[in-house]
Amino acid sequence: MEDKKDAFILWFKDLRLEDTPLVGGKNAALGEMYSNLTPLGVDVPQGFALTAKAYEYFLEFNNLKEKIRETLKGLNTKDVRDLQKRGAKIRKLIRSGKFPQDLAEEIKEAYLKLSKEYGEEATDVAVRSSATAEDLPGASFAGQQETYLNVVGFEKLLEAIKNCMASLFTDRAISYREDKGFDHFKVALSVGVQKMVRSDLASSGVAFTIDTETGLDKVIIITATYGLGELIVQGKVVPDEWMVFKEGLKKGYKAIFSRKLGKKENKIVYSSKGGTKLVKVPLEDQKQFALTDEEVLLLANWCQKIEDHFSKLHQRLQPMDIEWAKDGKTGKLFIVQARPETVYSAKKPTEWKEYKLKEKGKVILEGIAVGSKIAVGKVRVIKDVSKISEFKPGEILVTEITDPDWEPIMKIAKGIITDKGGRTSHAAIVSRELGIPAIVGTQKATKVLKTGQEITLDCSSGNVGKVYQGKLKFEEIVHDLGKLPETKTQIKVNIGSPEEAFKNHWLPVKGVGLAREEFIIASYIKIHPNALLDYPKLKERAKRDKKIKEIVEKIDQLTEGYEDKSQYYVDKLAEGIAKIAVAFWPYEVMLRFSDFKTNEYKNLIGGELYEPKEENPMLGWRGASRYYHPDFKSAFELELLALKKVREEFGLVNVMPFIPFCRTVEELQKVLAIFEDLGLERDALHNQTCSKLPLECNHLKIYLMCEIPSNVILADEFLEYVDGYSIGSNDLTQLTLGIDRDSELVANVGNELNDAVKSLISQVIKKCKEKGKSSGICGQAPSDYPEFAEFLVKEGIDSMSLNPDVVIKTIELVAKVENKLKNED
């Protein structure tokens, strides 16, 4: 074969990543995968690339370089109208050019060879542009140039190649290079010609080997829609989404821990005239996932292999942005593109910026949050790209949807809000790269918001982005993680919502000391477990009882697709638990079983049918006393089944449960008997030898909340049955001082700093040490009172679990106390 540098055409099988200067990052990556990963079972469609030399040859043959330079002289990218005018002129020049005869012959020969390989006279191909500077970490040109699908025949192929070449000078590409400081002629264009995958008859999508919102690299996120994949990239569809736990996948677990059904109203399919067209998706298909679990796991395995391979090449972890397609004729899956993820891989690993609102406001709109920042500014509603010249720097762009033509104004926006699109839409991808917050998929932003209106765009609180009326004050806190000291006392974090876990995964903690089930039940599930267990009976009663009918209708709406309604409870609870466990893998995540009081359970759908009226729910039917009770035992078993699923199906063996509000040793024995009945038996002997990190063993530890004086007085007996205590200082204070913590009338009587409370905690820590059991605290006290945290360190507690916002300062405080104690010794 001739020297690669002199070739006009190179086949994927001959390309490697080091050929990026010749064929661009996209084509080089395809060659790298085709050569190295197809032997490992990763299917990549065959194809070839026109090299940068072919592009240069085409420009020289048509004498275009000087004409383009002249057209770009004096360009100001902020003058959108002028940019549009110059860009259109350059593209017309390129499309009017002619192919040199020898180059055209080579293209024809390669196309016929590819067609013959697939047993066709003129096969259908995807024609994709690949700029020679694109897809480099820190400089993502992804999406800057065009892709043409279902191109059939030699003449159509030549036309598509010219269009690709012209797309190197789209308005947004010109603007991007100018702003990034790239010379327009040091960036050349390669064109990839790849056998089409008939995903118009099946599905396609995008996968990331990192959570693109938070930078959590322990997950693979796969999205899917019906038909060809352009709708996902354009943000015109909310796709199905799956999350897969990487470590569980590697160890052979069915590690899909989250599934979300998207809104797949439209799809792009082949047009009989060539090219593509948009059609409606039947309602029945919209309600089905576009992939099976087996296909998701296969794709996830491929994504992991791709990340592993490119990480080895880059000699560091290299998260990847991957496009896949399913062939509707053969049923086979294929990887059609892969590029480095360029946003989080470029971040400084020791620095983290946190954004917080400093005041409350009125929420006027919600959608999918992109990023974690806050922006304040004036709205500019633009419904059509032809009007983008009206946009002013520093405004918040509000539109129905964006595509690459919007990029010249996106880069000068403070934030972006769209009606349509999901987490992998164009608006989401570009806003991440630009480092500005966006809220996508609001469905009604262009109707609710008005040009000139002042708003606060808030993406700081997890997956749900909120738009507040008016300008609210906020703060930006920079954390330098590299300067934090190590502490002997393990610092853990208290987590309520799964979204909170992803958002706070960066915290330098040794796991989660309190993961609350209540938030998952109230926000994810919303239905009383007994109402789900009794669903068949309720359905029958609904025929004659209007109130029951309303409850059944709400259950039907939330549990659509579930024949067994109790399985909905198990699945949703498992998903919420898993998100917390993945975020802090491989450290231990201590899961507290449900500790709703009767009045709180009553607020769930159907709750009033099952909950008694209690005068003081705080001291009533809660915690352990519910779990073995005939009226709740079956509901508690659903919690245990969710725990089993998280540990045994997803492979998240770092989840360890603890039992709240257990009044007597007899109660503890009854609860543990239910564990054993469901195959969740504690292995006390193995737990003494199982290393804490990494968690290579899957043996179960069980902890107990120490929050009742009886837990202190009878510590010797309670600790025989569990692996340690987690001190609940809130309830322990309430029951020690006889204070109803819900009553403001006695709130000033005392708190955790009271000597009686501290005396009990001191006793517990000493007793745990005597017994060789762990002692920790997950109550509010060390988060609220620095002097209480100091007291705990002096007493020798093993771990402290804190609210996320005080973790950093408490680590610094604990380190000072430990150093002081060391010096005193």
Side-chain angles (χ1 to χ4, degrees):
M1 190 184 82
E2 62 185 310
D3 190 290
K4 283 184 183 181
K5 289 179 183 175
D6 298 324
F8 289 145
I9 286 174
L10 291 170
W11 288 84
F12 290 167
K13 67 181 177 64
D14 299 319
L15 291 171
R16 298 295 183 274
L17 198 61
E18 66 254 26
D19 296 317
T20 297
L22 305 179
V23 293
K26 198 179 293 177
N27 288 331
L30 277 169
E32 188 68 46
M33 290 191 295
Y34 192 89
S35 305
N36 294 289
L37 296 178
T38 49
L40 301 179
V42 179
D43 286 331
V44 180
Q46 174 63 296
F48 58 87
L50 269 76
T51 64
K53 185 176 176 66
Y55 166 78
E56 297 281 357
Y57 184 29
F58 178 85
L59 291 189
E60 285 166 18
F61 185 79
N62 291 282
N63 194 27
L64 290 173
K65 277 193 177 181
E66 197 50 51
K67 292 174 185 174
I68 292 170
R69 273 199 188 95
E70 191 61 35
T71 306
L72 289 174
K73 199 176 283 182
L75 172 68
N76 174 12
T77 59
K78 287 177 182 170
D79 185 341
V80 176
R81 280 204 179 97
D82 184 47
L83 173 65
Q84 290 171 333
K85 189 178 170 185
R86 295 179 194 231
K89 185 178 178 181
I90 293 169
R91 292 190 295 277
K92 188 178 178 184
L93 283 170
I94 294 171
R95 289 190 187 113
S96 303
K98 292 183 179 176
F99 280 93
Q101 185 64 33
D102 53 345
L103 178 57
E105 286 297 326
E106 275 201 46
I107 295 169
K108 187 174 185 179
E109 187 183 331
Y111 176 62
L112 291 174
K113 184 179 175 183
L114 183 65
S115 299
K116 188 178 179 183
E117 190 169 323
Y118 285 95
E120 295 172 304
E121 193 176 320
T123 196
D124 50 342
V125 291
V127 183
R128 293 188 174 92
S129 50
S130 179
T132 57
E134 78 171 329
D135 299 331
L136 301 176
S140 172
F141 283 70
Q144 294 290 332
Q145 283 76 52
E146 302 292 350
T147 293
Y148 299 90
L149 304 176
N150 188 24
V151 176
V152 181
F154 174 61
E155 293 302 326
K156 292 279 185 188
L157 175 58
L158 289 183
E159 185 185 335
I161 291 169
K162 272 203 282 189
N163 284 335
C164 276
M165 289 177 174
S167 77
L168 190 60
F169 290 92
T170 55
D171 303 342
R172 75 260 183 187
I174 294 169
S175 173
Y176 189 94
R177 285 195 298 273
E178 286 279 332
D179 294 339
K180 290 281 184 182
F182 284 93
D183 184 320
H184 293 285
F185 294 103
K186 285 188 178 171
V187 180
L189 194 106
S190 166
V191 179
V193 179
Q194 186 178 39
K195 169 63 182 169
M196 275 292 294
V197 177
R198 290 301 303 270
S199 59
D200 62 306
L201 304 173
S203 56
S204 58
V206 178
F208 289 94
T209 62
I210 191 171
D211 177 52
T212 51
E213 304 313 320
T214 64
L216 178 66
D217 59 17
K218 298 177 179 73
V219 296
I220 294 166
I221 296 175
I222 295 171
T223 61
T225 191
Y226 293 120
L228 302 171
E230 297 306 289
L231 285 182
I232 286 185
V233 177
Q234 292 167 8
K236 292 180 180 175
V237 65
V238 177
D240 298 336
E241 181 181 284
W242 297 262
M243 288 188 181
V244 182
F245 171 45
K246 284 182 183 176
E247 199 63 31
L249 185 75
K250 287 177 186 175
K251 292 181 178 175
Y253 291 95
K254 293 179 179 177
I256 305 168
F257 66 89
S258 174
R259 296 170 182 79
K260 276 186 194 168
L261 189 67
K263 294 178 181 176
K264 310 177 291 294
E265 300 104 327
N266 301 307
K267 64 178 177 178
I268 295 178
V269 297
Y270 276 17
S271 169
S272 56
K273 298 172 185 175
T276 61
K277 63 179 180 180
L278 188 71
V279 298
K280 286 277 180 192
V281 175
L283 193 60
E284 191 180 330
D285 289 345
Q286 289 180 36
K287 292 181 179 181
Q288 303 290 324
F289 281 101
L291 289 173
T292 65
D293 280 2
E294 289 72 23
E295 288 169 333
V296 171
L297 289 169
L298 177 61
L299 276 175
N301 270 298
W302 287 0
C303 290
Q304 187 63 64
K305 286 177 180 176
I306 292 167
E307 182 185 72
D308 289 346
H309 182 76
F310 282 88
S311 295
K312 191 175 177 183
L313 288 176
H314 290 291
Q315 296 185 321
R316 58 174 168 77
L317 178 67
Q318 178 54 69
M320 299 296 290
D321 170 355
I322 297 159
E323 291 180 32
W324 62 269
K326 180 182 176 182
D327 194 297
K329 284 188 169 181
T330 64
K332 287 182 72 176
L333 291 162
F334 292 89
I335 300 296
V336 294
Q337 277 193 55
R339 62 178 73 89
E341 193 281 335
T342 56
V343 178
Y344 275 95
S345 49
K347 277 188 181 287
K348 186 182 173 186
T350 59
E351 184 178 282
W352 188 267
K353 287 182 181 177
E354 186 183 2
Y355 294 80
K356 277 187 180 180
L357 282 177
K358 294 175 78 173
E359 53 186 333
K360 292 182 179 178
K362 182 185 176 185
V363 177
I364 53 175
L365 189 67
E366 291 186 347
I368 301 165
V370 178
S372 58
K373 292 184 178 180
I374 297 171
V376 171
K378 286 185 178 179
V379 164
R380 173 71 63 177
V381 180
I382 301 179
K383 293 186 179 178
D384 191 271
V385 72
S386 64
K387 306 282 187 185
I388 63 174
S389 59
E390 296 172 6
F391 193 82
K392 296 187 175 93
E395 292 180 326
I396 293 174
L397 173 64
V398 176
T399 187
E400 188 177 316
I401 197 161
T402 69
D403 61 31
D405 290 328
W406 291 79
E407 286 178 30
I409 64 166
M410 292 170 83
K411 70 189 181 189
I412 56 172
K414 265 195 176 177
I416 299 165
I417 304 170
T418 67
D419 291 345
K420 298 180 181 178
R423 283 158 37 107
T424 53
S425 65
H426 175 267
I429 290 167
V430 172
S431 64
R432 275 186 216 109
E433 184 177 320
L434 294 172
I436 60 173
I439 300 176
V440 298
T442 63
Q443 298 182 33
K444 54 184 180 181
T446 53
K447 294 186 180 78
V448 172
L449 302 174
K450 307 295 177 193
T451 294
Q453 181 179 359
E454 291 187 330
I455 61 166
T456 300
L457 188 165
D458 179 18
C459 292
S460 68
S461 304
N463 283 351
V464 179
K466 296 178 181 179
V467 178
Y468 291 91
Q469 192 169 290
K471 292 185 173 183
L472 301 182
K473 291 178 183 175
F474 69 93
E475 60 182 330
E476 179 184 312
I477 307 158
V478 180
H479 300 292
D480 188 347
L481 306 183
K483 292 182 179 176
L484 284 176
E486 283 290 323
T487 61
K488 181 184 172 187
T489 310
Q490 285 195 343
I491 303 300
K492 300 182 179 183
V493 65
N494 294 336
I495 293 291
S497 74
E499 288 73 27
E500 193 185 337
F502 270 43
K503 178 189 161 194
N504 288 300
H505 79 90
W506 59 273
L507 285 170
V509 294
K510 305 297 185 188
V512 176
L514 173 61
R516 304 178 185 92
E517 280 191 2
E518 291 85 35
F519 185 94
I520 302 167
I521 294 167
S523 300
Y524 273 45
I525 298 169
K526 301 178 183 177
I527 306 164
H528 195 288
N530 281 339
L532 293 165
L533 288 161
D534 282 353
Y535 179 80
K537 293 176 188 172
L538 292 179
K539 187 122 181 166
E540 195 58 38
R541 286 174 61 188
K543 294 173 184 176
R544 52 188 182 275
D545 188 323
K546 189 180 176 184
K547 189 178 177 183
I548 302 294
K549 186 184 176 187
E550 288 174 3
I551 291 169
V552 167
E553 284 172 353
K554 287 178 182 175
I555 292 172
D556 286 342
Q557 190 179 359
L558 286 167
T559 62
E560 188 178 8
Y562 278 90
E563 200 169 319
D564 177 358
K565 302 301 182 184
S566 62
Q567 190 60 44
Y568 166 82
Y569 193 91
V570 173
D571 288 352
K572 289 293 174 188
L573 186 54
E575 179 182 326
I577 296 165
K579 283 183 177 176
I580 298 170
V582 166
F584 293 95
W585 173 270
Y587 293 105
E588 195 170 77
V589 169
M590 294 175 68
L591 173 73
R592 187 179 73 187
F593 291 120
S594 63
D595 193 24
F596 276 138
K597 290 77 182 172
T598 50
N599 57 324
E600 294 166 330
Y601 262 122
K602 198 174 282 188
N603 291 332
L604 297 173
I605 295 167
E608 67 270 23
L609 302 176
Y610 301 98
E611 294 299 322
K613 179 169 172 51
E614 292 187 298
E615 291 302 321
N616 190 348
M618 190 69 77
L619 296 179
W621 195 35
R622 61 177 284 202
S625 61
R626 292 185 81 100
Y627 304 158
Y628 60 86
H629 194 285
D631 291 344
F632 196 81
K633 183 183 173 189
S634 295
F636 178 60
E637 286 173 347
L638 298 181
E639 296 182 42
L640 291 176
L641 289 171
L643 174 63
K644 269 179 78 77
K645 183 168 187 166
V646 168
R647 288 175 55 85
E648 296 173 13
E649 188 176 318
F650 305 156
L652 287 158
V653 295
N654 59 329
V655 179
M656 305 296 175
F658 64 104
I659 301 161
F661 221 78
C662 185
R663 296 169 169 96
T664 68
V665 175
E666 290 73 26
E667 277 201 315
L668 177 57
Q669 290 169 332
K670 287 177 184 178
V671 173
L672 292 177
I674 304 170
F675 272 75
E676 290 177 23
D677 289 343
L678 289 177
L680 282 162
E681 193 170 352
R682 170 178 166 259
D683 186 341
L685 181 66
H686 192 91
N687 284 337
Q688 290 172 15
T689 58
C690 187
S691 60
K692 288 181 182 177
L693 175 69
L695 285 158
E696 292 298 333
C697 64
N698 60 3
H699 291 261
L700 186 69
K701 294 181 184 179
I702 300 173
Y703 297 96
L704 188 70
M705 282 289 281
C706 177
E707 53 189 340
I708 303 170
S710 63
N711 302 145
V712 182
I713 296 162
L714 298 177
D716 281 321
E717 295 177 48
F718 277 110
L719 287 169
E720 286 300 314
Y721 295 93
V722 292
D723 292 282
Y725 267 167
S726 180
I727 300 164
S729 56
N730 303 0
D731 270 321
L732 189 59
T733 302
Q734 171 181 243
L735 297 173
T736 302
L737 300 178
I739 296 170
D740 179 352
R741 71 183 202 208
D742 283 348
S743 170
E744 70 281 1
L745 297 173
V746 290
N748 63 340
V749 172
N751 56 38
E752 292 91 334
L753 295 171
N754 184 280
D755 285 342
V757 179
K758 288 167 74 174
S759 175
L760 291 179
I761 290 173
S762 180
Q763 289 176 51
V764 164
I765 295 170
K766 286 183 175 68
K767 188 58 69 176
C768 285
K769 285 190 183 303
E770 280 176 30
K771 292 277 186 182
K773 303 294 175 88
S774 70
S775 63
I777 188 164
C778 62
Q780 190 69 23
S783 294
D784 287 349
Y785 308 113
E787 61 268 44
F788 193 81
E790 190 171 340
F791 155 73
L792 291 170
V793 175
K794 287 177 178 175
E795 292 298 316
I797 200 162
D798 293 325
S799 68
M800 262 185 253
S801 196
L802 309 156
N803 295 341
D805 59 345
V806 297
V807 162
I808 304 293
K809 68 179 183 184
T810 308
I811 288 175
E812 291 168 345
L813 171 70
V814 168
K816 282 180 186 174
V817 176
E818 288 180 351
N819 281 334
K820 187 180 175 185
L821 292 172
K822 190 177 176 183
N823 291 335
E824 286 174 1
D825 288 346

